[in-house]
Amino acid sequence: MYEIIDKKRLSDAIVMMEVKAERVAKSCMPGQFVIVKIDERGERIPLTICDYKRERGTVTIVFQTVGASTERMARLEKGDFFRDFVGPLGKSCEWTEEPLAKLSQKKILFVAGGVGTAPVYPQVKWLHENGISADCIIGARTKELVILEEEMSRVAEALYVTTDDGSYGMKGNVNDCIKKLVNEEKKSYDLIVAIGPLIMMKFVCLLTKELGIPTIVSLNPIMVDGTGMCGACRVTVGGEVKFACVDGPEFDGHLVDFDQAMKRQQMYKTEEGRRYLKEREGSSHHGGCGHCE
Amino acid sequence: MDGLKRVPVREQDATERAHNFAEVCLGYDLNEAKAEADRCLKCKNPKCQTGCPVNIDIPRFIGKVSEGDVEGAYRVISEYSALPAVCGRVCPQESQCEAKCIRGIKGEAVSIGKLERFVADYAREHALRPEVNAEKKNQKVAVIGSGPAGLTCAGDLAKNGYDVTIFEALHEPGGVLVYGIPEFRLPKDTVVKSEIENVKALGVKIETNVVVGKSVTIDELLEEEGFSAVFVGSGAGLPKFMGIPGESANGVFSANEYLTRNNLMKAFSEGYDTPIAAGKKVAVVGGGNVAMDAARTALRLGAEVCIVYRRGEEELPARVEEVHHAKEEGVEFKLLTNPKAILVDENGWVKGMRCSRMELGEADASGRRQPMEVPGSEFEFELDTVIMSLGTSPNPLIVSTTSGLEANKRGGIVATDEYGGTTKEAVFAGGDAVTGAATVILAMGAGKAAAKGIDAYLSHRKK
């Protein structure tokens, strides 16, 4: 059992929890994820790690309520427990392996979309703690969905916020901001790390390919075990099939087949996919649509 | 009674069981078991025992059943095996102990597996537990993986007085016994849980949610957590795919995923959150036991199911009993059929499969006749779900995070002796992690051998 030490709502539908998980806290690195399971009957839900405190033995997770399972999770309070909390899973960011002297020569721009800000935060923080500065863009649909701005501003060299509706920060999407930084402000970046919805990562990658800036993305496909056993999380990268849980979750964004990833994502995760599933299955339907009790 | 024939075992009716997840085989009762036990010839030189990977003294336990001393029979089996209720159900006895039975030369072999199962079930129902009486040794051993290899190794070491902790990556212990083999062949809450409880009763601790290689490394277990030896029984690993067009479409699963959703996550059961897109028209590609399990699971979830296999019936690697059960329940067999492409609709979902017909040519190096495509024989049929059951390749996680632990070309951990020794001191390995996908009982045999190896290593080191 893994105790929830602290809980905070970042927006209506986005929840942050600090969870006691000694083994994970001791060994996790930026880029990795955990799988949580609320109780006996819950799903195994993969979540990126937002922060970790090795001395306290805690790991912070952030999630958005998108279905029955995450809604149930959101109702947990401080002092409640997750039945299962396993990790760290996946590979840590490739650049954490580089010698710091070499890494410090690189100028990295992080592009965080919505709840994708959560996995970006520990990366920027890790760099900051190692004396390396990096810029960050947080993009969201509207002001209410901008999360972790204050935390990020403490660790990022320069922080830019964009909202689609212009309710906060710069009006526009993250690509507008990247273009502004690179084309108008003549900033030069050696690497872009983009984490957010698939559609955002796809368009960021289209742009950065044009700009000639190498780009890393982090994928969060459907998973079951998270250790390579089930193959549900397979993605095509550079024409090869990879398992996001063991080969990723981070990949070269210019090689990822985003269209396929988006189709696979639909299966259980989107309302549309769930309805389609129910329709197709008829009498052999066994849940997964998010509508059956 | 005809001594040439075995006492038939009762089974759930095929038409009924095709729609439920209750166990297919109902097992013997005491009278049936005694009658079957009486068929044993009590050979002076029992061949059956040599056919058992864990070397159970079969005539001795059968003798006890014949006398009506079922508890005595259980004590005999417990000396050798920690998982008799599992083995009595899923061992391929027909190619092991029963294949060597002298009764079987003329007539049918003694039904050793069904007798083992009877004894184990009796023990569970009467709350009999294995006994420990070894003196405690002050040495800690870590076992990675709580599948058949790990449970067996841990049980044997605990019986020898070692302080054993099993580390399991998933949220439930049992490995393939809980995520892979379906409920209707191996009931989880009764059979598997109780056998794991028996291992725990020997003093074995189980820590779930620990992915060794990620949460903690073997080097850390040895250097920081005070373990004197480690056994790696981490299992088979990553599912294989064919590499044909359409394989990434929605509705294409590995057998591991389909079975894990259903067995471990209990997607079939009301009130569990994990979904499964069960499918209406399902093809399972492959001919092994796992393929049969996936096909029979899909059938029970309400689908029309066929097995697609590129060789013929005789070449099916699955146990005859499993093939027979699958056929009885209504699984269709498309043999000598090889998938060429999965056909995908505009939304990215499976809509069918293109296959070609095959014929068998000369035997290859493995002794199996090589399937060859019949030119111009391609055909298509409609489907909404494809389950790939083509075996697995070893998970590189442990090898890649452990200094000095070597793997072979296929990725399996190299065992340097018959006791599971590896290229790294204090580290032993066995089961699918070494051999690639095999059977429960072979993994148990390897776990048993490694327990001996670890005991020898630690006893020697102490001196």
Side-chain angles (χ1 to χ4, degrees):
Chain A
M1 300 287 267
Y2 303 82
E3 189 181 356
I4 298 166
I5 303 295
D6 201 9
K7 178 189 177 182
K8 207 159 94 182
R9 270 197 188 266
L10 302 183
S11 83
D12 257 3
I14 304 175
V15 180
M16 178 155 97
M17 286 175 178
E18 183 181 351
V19 181
K20 190 96 177 165
E22 311 257 4
R23 284 199 186 276
V24 187
K26 188 178 167 214
S27 51
C28 66
M29 288 290 285
Q32 293 187 294
F33 64 99
V34 293
I35 284 185
V36 305
K37 186 165 176 287
I38 183 169
D39 58 17
E40 165 75 28
R41 288 163 180 265
E43 284 182 79
R44 290 173 65 93
I45 299 178
L47 296 171
T48 36
I49 293 169
C50 172
D51 201 0
Y52 48 90
K53 299 193 175 78
R54 302 215 200 277
E55 66 297 344
R56 267 159 72 94
T58 64
V59 173
T60 302
I61 51 171
V62 168
F63 60 91
Q64 191 160 18
T65 52
V66 286
S69 292
T70 40
E71 259 157 41
R72 226 145 58 81
M73 269 165 51
R75 287 199 290 271
L76 293 178
E77 296 298 338
K78 185 176 163 178
D80 289 343
F81 294 84
F82 282 99
R83 182 187 186 274
D84 301 287
F85 194 100
V86 60
L89 300 168
K91 293 183 174 162
S92 51
C93 306
E94 221 171 294
W95 44 260
T96 59
E97 315 265 325
E98 282 180 36
L100 288 176
K102 190 177 156 216
L103 186 59
S104 64
Q105 301 302 308
K106 277 191 186 166
K107 189 71 186 159
I108 307 179
L109 171 66
F110 288 87
V111 180
V115 75
T117 311
V120 166
Y121 174 66
Q123 303 198 6
V124 182
K125 184 180 166 192
W126 188 92
L127 289 169
H128 177 73
E129 282 172 349
N130 284 288
I132 299 165
S133 59
D135 292 351
C136 182
I137 302 171
I138 296 178
R141 252 186 4 255
T142 182
K143 184 181 177 189
E144 210 254 328
L145 300 175
V146 175
I147 61 167
L148 300 167
E149 185 192 357
E150 199 192 312
E151 289 85 346
M152 196 72 86
S153 68
R154 284 200 292 265
V155 292
E157 169 84 357
L159 177 63
Y160 310 90
V161 179
T162 71
T163 50
D164 294 355
D165 63 1
S167 54
Y168 190 64
M170 173 185 159
K171 182 176 161 58
N173 59 34
V174 291
N175 268 4
D176 299 329
C177 189
I178 297 172
K179 278 185 226 159
K180 186 165 162 256
L181 293 178
V182 174
N183 296 337
E184 292 171 30
E185 298 184 16
K186 302 293 174 204
K187 291 213 174 199
S188 116
Y189 293 105
D190 303 298
L191 178 69
I192 287 182
V193 177
I195 308 179
L198 282 170
I199 189 80
M200 177 204 96
M201 294 191 282
K202 175 183 169 173
F203 281 100
V204 168
C205 287
L206 287 174
L207 172 66
T208 59
K209 206 167 190 175
E210 233 172 75
L211 298 172
I213 308 172
T215 302
I216 301 288
V217 296
S218 178
L219 303 180
N220 181 18
I222 292 166
M223 284 185 192
V224 186
D225 63 290
T227 63
M229 200 181 78
C230 83
C233 65
R234 57 196 192 277
V235 290
T236 305
V237 181
E240 267 180 71
V241 174
K242 299 277 182 192
F243 291 178
C245 68
V246 288
D247 301 319
E250 298 200 335
F251 293 103
D252 180 340
H254 294 158
L255 299 178
V256 170
D257 183 341
F258 283 104
D259 293 335
Q260 184 194 77
M262 280 188 266
K263 278 185 179 156
R264 287 188 62 78
Q265 188 87 342
Q266 274 183 4
M267 182 139 187
Y268 300 110
K269 279 197 169 177
T270 65
E271 277 302 304
E272 195 191 0
R274 289 169 178 176
R275 261 201 305 278
Y276 187 64
L277 185 63
K278 187 166 189 178
E279 223 170 84
R280 270 171 67 93
E281 291 193 321
S283 61
S284 67
H285 180 64
H286 283 85
C289 65
H291 298 293
C292 321
E293 279 302 315
Chain B
M1 170 129 207
D2 181 359
L4 294 180
K5 288 218 177 294
R6 46 173 64 175
V7 175
V9 69
R10 285 165 291 120
E11 285 177 354
Q12 227 200 121
D13 179 68
T15 47
E16 200 171 304
R17 71 177 191 242
H19 306 288
N20 69 49
F21 279 90
E23 201 175 2
V24 170
C25 175
L26 302 173
Y28 286 150
D29 62 21
L30 180 60
N31 287 332
E32 290 165 335
K34 278 164 80 174
E36 182 61 20
D38 286 343
R39 294 183 62 234
C40 175
L41 298 171
K42 305 189 174 54
C43 306
K44 283 238 166 56
N45 176 15
K47 294 272 188 261
C48 52
Q49 191 170 356
T50 65
C52 174
V54 297
N55 204 31
I56 295 175
D57 188 342
I58 293 166
R60 192 150 66 93
F61 103 72
I62 291 185
K64 298 274 183 197
V65 175
S66 175
E67 291 163 20
D69 177 9
V70 188
E71 176 165 357
Y74 176 68
R75 298 285 167 225
V76 174
I77 297 176
S78 293
E79 287 172 31
Y80 303 89
S81 171
L83 310 170
V86 170
C87 290
R89 288 172 166 82
V90 304
C91 265
Q93 293 99 5
E94 66 282 1
S95 56
Q96 297 176 4
C97 52
E98 293 175 10
K100 306 239 170 164
C101 177
I102 303 300
R103 263 279 182 214
I105 296 172
K106 214 171 115 188
E108 291 177 343
V110 174
S111 202
I112 301 168
K114 299 291 186 284
L115 287 173
E116 181 185 28
R117 172 194 156 129
F118 166 73
V119 171
D121 287 357
Y122 176 96
R124 182 179 66 251
E125 284 152 18
H126 293 79
L128 304 178
R129 293 219 182 264
E131 287 161 355
V132 238
N133 31 31
E135 212 174 298
K136 288 261 171 281
K137 294 190 177 79
N138 200 17
Q139 277 171 306
K140 283 167 68 182
V141 181
V143 169
I144 301 168
S146 63
L151 288 172
T152 302
C153 186
D156 277 16
L157 287 167
K159 279 189 202 162
N160 252 314
Y162 290 100
D163 178 359
V164 186
T165 305
I166 300 182
F167 295 99
E168 167 56 47
L170 291 172
H171 57 273
E172 291 291 344
V176 73
L177 307 177
V178 295
Y179 75 75
I181 304 175
E183 188 72 23
F184 55 85
R185 278 217 293 139
L186 187 63
K188 309 291 162 238
D189 283 345
T190 49
V191 177
V192 178
K193 264 201 184 140
S194 129
E195 305 240 274
I196 290 168
E197 286 308 313
N198 283 345
V199 173
K200 281 161 108 175
L202 295 170
V204 172
K205 286 162 275 185
I206 302 181
E207 197 182 327
T208 52
N209 297 323
V210 181
V211 182
V212 174
K214 290 286 178 189
S215 313
V216 65
T217 63
I218 287 181
D219 292 314
E220 286 166 344
L221 289 174
L222 290 169
E223 285 154 27
E224 294 170 25
E225 299 202 14
F227 289 96
S228 306
V230 176
F231 172 72
V232 184
S234 53
L238 284 54
K240 288 182 189 159
F241 289 90
M242 292 188 78
I244 57 174
E247 227 171 357
S248 285
N250 289 345
V252 183
F253 303 94
S254 72
N256 267 5
E257 181 187 353
Y258 199 84
L259 289 170
T260 300
R261 283 183 183 276
N262 206 61
N263 301 336
L264 175 71
M265 306 310 296
K266 301 202 179 349
F268 72 89
S269 178
E270 295 275 322
Y272 283 80
D273 294 345
T274 301
I276 185 164
K280 274 202 270 197
K281 276 185 79 94
V282 177
V284 179
V285 181
N289 287 320
V290 176
M292 300 304 138
D293 284 346
R296 296 170 68 197
T297 296
L299 196 83
R300 282 161 172 77
L301 291 171
E304 225 177 87
V305 187
C306 67
I307 291 267
V308 174
Y309 180 59
R310 63 191 186 129
R311 292 183 161 100
E313 170 133 15
E314 277 180 25
E315 287 77 21
L316 282 169
R319 291 181 69 190
V320 174
E321 180 178 313
E322 302 307 324
V323 175
H324 171 72
H325 279 152
K327 281 189 178 166
E328 268 186 349
E329 289 163 11
V331 173
E332 185 200 341
F333 281 73
K334 289 188 195 293
L335 301 170
L336 292 167
T337 303
N338 194 37
K340 304 285 283 184
I342 292 163
L343 311 174
V344 185
D345 73 12
E346 65 284 1
N347 291 310
W349 291 70
V350 174
K351 66 170 184 186
M353 190 149 76
R354 183 182 310 128
C355 293
S356 59
R357 306 230 182 260
M358 309 294 277
E359 57 189 11
L360 292 180
E362 298 292 309
D364 65 6
S366 73
R368 288 199 298 184
R369 293 174 68 194
Q370 203 49 37
M372 291 177 320
E373 201 174 308
V374 178
S377 66
E378 285 194 8
F379 66 102
E380 291 179 358
F381 59 103
E382 265 182 45
L383 287 171
D384 56 24
T385 302
V386 177
I387 302 172
M388 291 294 177
S389 180
L390 308 160
T392 55
S393 57
N395 194 325
L397 189 54
I398 285 177
V399 170
S400 67
T401 56
T402 309
S403 61
L405 185 65
E406 279 174 29
N408 61 27
K409 264 186 287 181
R410 282 167 293 124
I413 296 171
V414 175
T416 52
D417 60 36
E418 62 200 295
Y419 296 104
T422 66
T423 53
K424 185 178 173 70
E425 197 192 330
V427 178
F428 295 74
D432 287 0
V434 169
T435 56
T439 61
V440 167
I441 188 69
L442 285 173
M444 288 176 60
K448 206 167 182 63
K452 280 194 195 129
I454 290 170
D455 184 39
Y457 166 73
L458 292 178
S459 315
H460 179 73
R461 209 180 63 160
K462 223 165 55 182
K463 280 171 206 160

